[in-house]
Amino acid sequence: MAAAPVWSVDPRTGKQREQVAVEATRQEVDQAVRSAHAARHSLADRAARAAFLRTAADRLDEAAAHVIEAADAETALGPGRLTGELARTTYQLRSFADIVDEGAFLDVIISHADDTQTPPWPDLRRYKVPLGVVAVYAASNFPLAFSVPGGDTASALAAGCPVVVKVHPDHPATSELCAAALHRAAEETGIAPDVVTLVHGFDAGVELVGHPLVAAAGFTGSVRGGRALFDAAAARPRPIPFHGELGSLNPVVITEAAAAERAEQIATGLAGSMTLGVGQFCTKPGFVLAPASAAGDRLVKTLTHEVSEVEAGILLDHRMREAFVTGVTERAALPGVEAPVTPGSGGEHTVGAGFLTVDAERLTGEGAHDILLEECFGPVTVVARYRSDDEIEAVLARLPGNLTATVHLATAEETDPAGRGAALLTALTPLAGRVLVNAWPTGVAVAPAQQHGGPYPATTSTSTSVGATAIERWLRPVSYQGTPAALLPPELRDDNPLGLPRRIGPQRG
Amino acid sequence: MAAAPVWSVDPRTGKQREQVAVEATRQEVDQAVRSAHAARHSLADRAARAAFLRTAADRLDEAAAHVIEAADAETALGPGRLTGELARTTYQLRSFADIVDEGAFLDVIISHADDTQTPPWPDLRRYKVPLGVVAVYAASNFPLAFSVPGGDTASALAAGCPVVVKVHPDHPATSELCAAALHRAAEETGIAPDVVTLVHGFDAGVELVGHPLVAAAGFTGSVRGGRALFDAAAARPRPIPFHGELGSLNPVVITEAAAAERAEQIATGLAGSMTLGVGQFCTKPGFVLAPASAAGDRLVKTLTHEVSEVEAGILLDHRMREAFVTGVTERAALPGVEAPVTPGSGGEHTVGAGFLTVDAERLTGEGAHDILLEECFGPVTVVARYRSDDEIEAVLARLPGNLTATVHLATAEETDPAGRGAALLTALTPLAGRVLVNAWPTGVAVAPAQQHGGPYPATTSTSTSVGATAIERWLRPVSYQGTPAALLPPELRDDNPLGLPRRIGPQRG
């Protein structure tokens, strides 16, 4: 059987641009994993891998024109957004280089021998070691920052783990360009290029998660695809950690006082956030609880105006366009659902932004519109109008896990620690990994305190895929007991030759 | 149908001692989980839960005579061992109280707003929150330290999570006594007693891991039972973290130089470690690579003498005794396997310790004796005689994941960082969570640098079940963005009113 071709497709026309590669066979996936595994030792030296990450960022920056041109041609995300995404991507690579240099991620803990403890302590020295080959499943909606050179790859390499990337079919040409930049950087810094290896094709992705030498996986994508791979990872003879970011509704609660104070400003912010990047962010606010009041009416009026001004946009591929049109049509047809601006087909290849409204009471009890509480990828949100605080709580209780949860409060009057704002923060915390006040969830800072990961289905683990602590996903602790100084890894020696931050345990437990 | 009775059984006679409880029905499991969930708020205050953990330790110490008597009657582990186990258990509870007070486990990271980053940072403040109700599956072989008041319970409560303990059928009376002590401590310290709830029965355990309000699970037991529960946890509509410690061979490598230096001393240590507690430790050295040399012969000779002196012992229950007798008989019957001291039935209720020897070459290639590389619970070990370093590597490559891996080196001559000792440490590290040099793996210190958890099947996650970092299993990070100071949890406020150790992020990434 001939190898299946992998085409780069222009979503603006639906036409094939060029054949980029062929789908990997089972043998080729096996070869890719074995090559990556064999290359792992070249990541052992921390200084070398930090240099590799920085050089990779430099090479990507140098290739910016080509990379952005290819990415725009394949994704229609536009040069402006893609320029920003590349800057974020290279910043992320350099950040992980800094994290590797600093060494806190090694989580060194030393407990000296101590006969006064119960039972007595031997000399124990613990740090973290890389898990092994990481399978990275690239995202459709971030051809750079969550794909070949993205956060999963950067954090895994920083941890000392080679990666095999399952390329997303929406941007194979961009992926190959990025891989070439990473490979050049590897060669320049004495790292084996096979520490980053690509495979194309759906079947290759399934094969990859089951490969005996794959030690962990990172995924960004749909609930359906992510869950299937999660299940496969768990069903292996030797299960592996599967860190998947699957789907998120990202609820927003707007209090009556906030709406009364600034309905128009909130509506304008919401319109911008929900339609940013044609509504294709995993942090898009897809569900809004707004008061069924005059202030709430003002909010809906401004939202109607703002969203109707948004130009039709191009989704990442035609399958997504179909899913969006079907999804919004199904939702708009529900009893009691209205569409102040009808989302849907905007032309042969485009979609129009819109939003739906519904009484919050339709979302609880018998015959509730459960589908309105599921993510619909694209430029649409659902505004549920509530009549009481109890109705807010009742709806929140029905929400699945989310990446983010947002509350808009009146600037001054709702910041009493014993008041409504505090109660809402408490109610939103169990629902999400990131809780925002008077802000919008799109835009995810690459910062140490970031948490981009929330309760299932937002994430299949308790980890984050953005920020410094994303590196924790690819490590496991090892403790050395009674080991002669000369045989200890330098990270664990008493003289701390590498100058690492460490915890030396006077503390018991 | 009448409720199934739960009996306390004397393993010295196989006779029922008393009926302790009845097996929980599905409705009773649901009630136990709901009660625990409803009680979770009472653990919110860190000072209160630290006081609870310390008072629990005090009440258990006060109840020592009763608890140890019951535990000995049910497990035959003996008052000496059980006195030590109780001391370890209460030390562990107090250690986790210290950890709660100190607060580093909250992992507070603050990234102040910073427009110079790419993209700009909003104000982000991250810490860890409890996951919710934790299901604890108690171990057979530690009626205290890995059961009702054990490490999983102590670390979960310390994290702020209520627990529902699935009691082990080998010690139901001990479990109820311990629960009563914990409940007294809860009442005294203003904690809702339902933060620790017990259920009995196999079916109750299966029900528990599937309950929608259970947020995570900790397990110590067999590969078969643990894997079934792990699979159930992964197959839930909302999968949950399952931290299971399943089974471990705990390989030991003895170099020729070490044997030449001190064969008799090593053999004596091995005999003690493998027969400690009638070989019922999860860290029992169950597989030993010893040289096929004159020094190795001396080691086997001393081991023969030492093991033949060990008195017959009582295993935890009759099912285990049968599994041991069957397991050692099957192994001893393999071609090329010899039994210098034959392990097996030592009488109607007892078992005799023993060990098997085999040429290491029987463990690789076509028709290899794979079963010798599986854990056999009880007082037996397998000594494989190797002829070359290559043979050691070939056998190590076939081993599953382990809690521990040990190497015995010549005291002075094998500590060259470029020599054989270093090479063996490198080879053993991928196989285990704890690597020991010139020591024995039985005895697990409750220390910050401890790692009691290793690659599958030793553990189903990358976590430890012993030591300070065991608390990490029951937490997830939440980040607050743009939150007014008055609404922030005190842990995250700029003035740090709780005096917590925190990371404030100048570092990027």
Side-chain angles (χ1 to χ4, degrees):
Chain A
M1 202 175 83
V6 174
W7 291 91
S8 174
V9 175
D10 180 352
R12 294 179 172 95
T13 62
K15 297 220 167 77
Q16 292 174 341
R17 295 176 59 241
E18 54 170 335
Q19 184 186 338
V20 173
V22 293
E23 296 190 356
T25 61
R26 168 179 291 206
Q27 289 71 27
E28 286 160 346
V29 172
D30 179 61
Q31 185 52 43
V33 175
R34 288 186 187 283
S35 301
H37 188 254
R40 71 193 186 282
H41 298 301
S42 82
L43 291 170
D45 182 70
R46 285 196 298 126
R49 64 187 199 248
F52 168 43
L53 292 168
R54 288 195 182 96
T55 306
D58 293 344
R59 294 299 158 269
L60 282 165
D61 279 340
E62 286 163 16
H66 282 107
V67 168
I68 290 165
E69 186 188 353
D72 183 48
E74 290 185 314
T75 67
L77 288 171
R81 144 74 195 273
L82 289 164
T83 300
E85 187 180 330
L86 181 59
R88 168 203 188 77
T89 303
T90 56
Y91 173 94
Q92 189 160 253
L93 285 161
R94 293 183 181 108
S95 293
F96 277 110
D98 293 350
I99 287 162
V100 171
D101 281 339
E102 196 244 358
F105 75 96
L106 294 169
D107 205 9
V108 176
I109 310 177
I110 296 179
S111 300
H112 290 293
D114 184 347
D115 285 345
T116 69
Q117 308 286 345
T118 310
W121 291 357
D123 184 90
L124 284 165
R125 294 155 190 260
R126 176 187 189 265
Y127 76 152
K128 291 192 177 171
V129 298
L131 280 175
V133 176
V134 171
V136 171
Y137 293 83
S140 62
N141 58 343
F142 278 88
L144 307 171
F146 288 83
S147 291
V148 172
D152 285 351
T153 298
S155 58
L157 292 171
C161 296
V163 299
V164 179
V165 185
K166 156 60 178 67
V167 173
H168 196 280
D170 281 353
H171 34 72
T174 310
S175 297
E176 291 287 347
L177 274 178
C178 291
L182 294 177
H183 289 158
R184 279 196 299 279
E187 277 162 14
E188 286 175 43
T189 51
I191 299 284
D194 284 346
V195 297
V196 179
T197 308
L198 307 191
V199 296
H200 296 265
F202 178 87
D203 291 344
V206 175
E207 196 65 36
L208 186 59
V209 80
H211 194 288
L213 287 177
V214 167
F219 172 93
T220 311
S222 69
V223 174
R224 190 171 161 190
R227 181 64 193 249
L229 290 168
F230 170 87
D231 288 345
R236 292 164 49 114
R238 177 174 65 89
I240 56 172
F242 185 89
H243 301 282
E245 183 202 315
L246 309 193
S248 183
L249 196 60
N250 304 302
V252 177
V253 179
I254 298 161
T255 65
E256 168 62 20
E261 181 180 272
R262 53 181 204 287
E264 293 75 14
Q265 183 191 332
I266 292 170
T268 304
L270 173 59
S273 184
M274 63 160 276
T275 62
L276 191 70
V278 204
Q280 299 173 111
F281 285 103
C282 42
T283 52
K284 179 198 76 176
F287 182 76
V288 181
L289 279 160
S293 66
D297 291 344
R298 280 165 47 212
L299 188 144
V300 169
K301 188 178 166 198
T302 303
L303 191 62
T304 303
H305 175 75
E306 293 290 330
V307 173
S308 63
E309 299 275 295
V310 174
E311 284 182 24
I314 312 269
L315 293 184
L316 288 155
D317 62 44
H318 279 221
R319 196 176 42 81
M320 283 186 199
R321 187 175 171 281
E322 277 164 39
F324 176 73
V325 173
T326 307
V328 295
T329 305
E330 183 184 4
R331 285 164 173 81
L334 292 167
V337 173
E338 291 176 27
V341 184
T342 304
S345 172
E348 192 185 341
H349 299 291
T350 58
V351 296
F355 73 100
L356 308 174
T357 60
V358 66
D359 282 350
E361 67 185 10
R362 297 263 188 184
L363 302 171
T364 57
E366 197 82 26
H369 294 341
D370 287 346
I371 196 176
L372 295 179
L373 304 182
E374 289 174 22
E375 182 181 19
C376 184
F377 197 76
V380 63
T381 197
V382 173
V383 179
R385 308 291 300 271
Y386 67 83
R387 287 185 164 71
S388 69
D389 290 350
D390 285 352
E391 223 169 48
I392 296 179
E393 314 285 336
V395 173
L396 292 183
R398 306 213 64 212
L399 292 184
N402 294 277
L403 290 169
T404 72
T406 299
V407 62
H408 284 268
L409 304 171
T411 315
E413 72 198 74
E414 287 186 314
T415 55
D416 177 354
R420 183 65 191 147
L424 280 168
L425 274 187
T426 301
L428 292 178
T429 297
L431 295 179
R434 179 162 55 111
V435 178
L436 301 92
V437 179
N438 297 349
W440 297 103
T442 40
V444 181
V446 181
Q450 185 57 269
Q451 177 59 27
H452 189 65
Y456 189 88
T459 312
T460 58
S461 69
T462 58
S463 66
T464 178
S465 61
V466 177
T469 57
I471 197 173
E472 295 173 5
R473 297 175 293 169
W474 321 121
L475 299 158
R476 71 175 177 93
V478 174
S479 184
Y480 291 88
Q481 177 174 332
T483 305
L487 293 181
L488 279 173
E491 290 85 352
L492 302 180
R493 289 185 198 148
D494 276 335
D495 59 348
N496 194 12
L498 305 177
L500 293 170
R502 315 195 298 184
R503 282 184 279 171
I504 315 286
Q507 174 202 33
R508 67 180 179 180
Chain B
M1 200 175 84
V6 173
W7 291 91
S8 173
V9 175
D10 180 351
R12 293 180 172 94
T13 63
K15 296 221 168 77
Q16 292 175 341
R17 295 176 58 242
E18 54 172 335
Q19 185 185 338
V20 173
V22 293
E23 295 190 357
T25 63
R26 168 179 293 206
Q27 291 71 27
E28 286 161 345
V29 172
D30 179 62
Q31 185 53 45
V33 175
R34 288 184 188 283
S35 302
H37 188 253
R40 71 192 185 285
H41 299 299
S42 82
L43 291 171
D45 182 71
R46 285 196 297 126
R49 63 187 200 249
F52 167 43
L53 292 169
R54 288 194 182 94
T55 307
D58 293 345
R59 294 300 157 268
L60 281 165
D61 279 339
E62 287 163 18
H66 282 107
V67 167
I68 290 165
E69 187 187 353
D72 182 49
E74 290 185 314
T75 67
L77 287 171
R81 144 74 193 271
L82 290 163
T83 300
E85 187 179 330
L86 181 60
R88 167 200 189 80
T89 303
T90 56
Y91 173 95
Q92 189 160 252
L93 285 160
R94 293 183 181 106
S95 292
F96 276 112
D98 293 349
I99 286 163
V100 171
D101 281 339
E102 195 244 359
F105 76 96
L106 294 168
D107 204 10
V108 176
I109 309 178
I110 296 179
S111 300
H112 290 293
D114 184 347
D115 285 345
T116 69
Q117 307 286 345
T118 309
W121 292 357
D123 184 90
L124 285 165
R125 293 152 191 263
R126 176 187 190 264
Y127 76 153
K128 291 192 177 172
V129 298
L131 280 175
V133 176
V134 171
V136 171
Y137 292 84
S140 62
N141 57 343
F142 279 89
L144 307 171
F146 288 82
S147 290
V148 172
D152 285 350
T153 298
S155 58
L157 292 171
C161 296
V163 299
V164 179
V165 185
K166 156 56 176 72
V167 173
H168 197 279
D170 281 352
H171 35 73
T174 310
S175 297
E176 291 288 346
L177 274 178
C178 290
L182 294 176
H183 290 158
R184 279 196 300 279
E187 277 161 16
E188 287 175 42
T189 51
I191 300 284
D194 284 346
V195 298
V196 178
T197 308
L198 308 191
V199 295
H200 296 264
F202 178 86
D203 291 345
V206 175
E207 197 64 37
L208 186 59
V209 80
H211 195 288
L213 287 176
V214 167
F219 172 93
T220 312
S222 69
V223 173
R224 191 171 160 190
R227 180 64 193 248
L229 291 167
F230 170 87
D231 288 344
R236 294 164 48 114
R238 178 173 64 88
I240 56 171
F242 185 89
H243 300 283
E245 183 201 315
L246 309 193
S248 183
L249 196 60
N250 304 303
V252 177
V253 179
I254 298 162
T255 65
E256 169 63 21
E261 181 180 273
R262 55 183 202 285
E264 293 74 15
Q265 182 192 333
I266 292 170
T268 303
L270 173 59
S273 184
M274 62 160 277
T275 63
L276 192 70
V278 203
Q280 297 174 109
F281 285 103
C282 42
T283 51
K284 179 198 77 175
F287 181 75
V288 181
L289 279 159
S293 65
D297 290 343
R298 279 164 49 211
L299 189 146
V300 169
K301 187 178 167 196
T302 303
L303 190 62
T304 304
H305 175 75
E306 293 290 329
V307 174
S308 63
E309 299 274 293
V310 174
E311 284 182 22
I314 312 270
L315 293 184
L316 287 155
D317 64 43
H318 279 223
R319 194 177 43 80
M320 282 184 200
R321 186 175 171 282
E322 276 163 40
F324 176 73
V325 172
T326 306
V328 295
T329 305
E330 184 183 2
R331 286 165 174 79
L334 291 168
V337 173
E338 292 176 25
V341 184
T342 304
S345 171
E348 191 184 343
H349 300 292
T350 58
V351 296
F355 73 101
L356 309 174
T357 60
V358 66
D359 281 349
E361 66 184 11
R362 297 263 188 185
L363 302 171
T364 57
E366 198 82 26
H369 295 340
D370 287 345
I371 197 177
L372 295 179
L373 304 182
E374 289 175 22
E375 182 182 16
C376 184
F377 197 76
V380 64
T381 198
V382 173
V383 178
R385 309 289 301 271
Y386 67 82
R387 286 185 164 70
S388 68
D389 289 351
D390 285 351
E391 221 169 49
I392 296 179
E393 314 285 336
V395 173
L396 292 183
R398 306 213 64 211
L399 291 183
N402 294 277
L403 291 169
T404 72
T406 299
V407 60
H408 283 266
L409 303 172
T411 313
E413 72 199 76
E414 288 186 314
T415 55
D416 177 354
R420 182 67 191 147
L424 279 168
L425 273 187
T426 301
L428 292 177
T429 297
L431 295 179
R434 179 162 53 111
V435 178
L436 301 91
V437 179
N438 296 347
W440 297 103
T442 42
V444 181
V446 182
Q450 185 57 269
Q451 175 59 28
H452 190 64
Y456 189 87
T459 312
T460 59
S461 69
T462 58
S463 65
T464 178
S465 60
V466 177
T469 57
I471 195 173
E472 294 173 4
R473 298 175 293 171
W474 321 120
L475 299 158
R476 72 176 175 95
V478 174
S479 184
Y480 291 89
Q481 177 173 333
T483 305
L487 293 181
L488 279 173
E491 290 84 352
L492 302 181
R493 287 184 200 148
D494 277 335
D495 60 348
N496 196 12
L498 304 176
L500 292 170
R502 314 196 297 185
R503 280 183 281 171
I504 315 286
Q507 175 201 34
R508 69 180 178 179

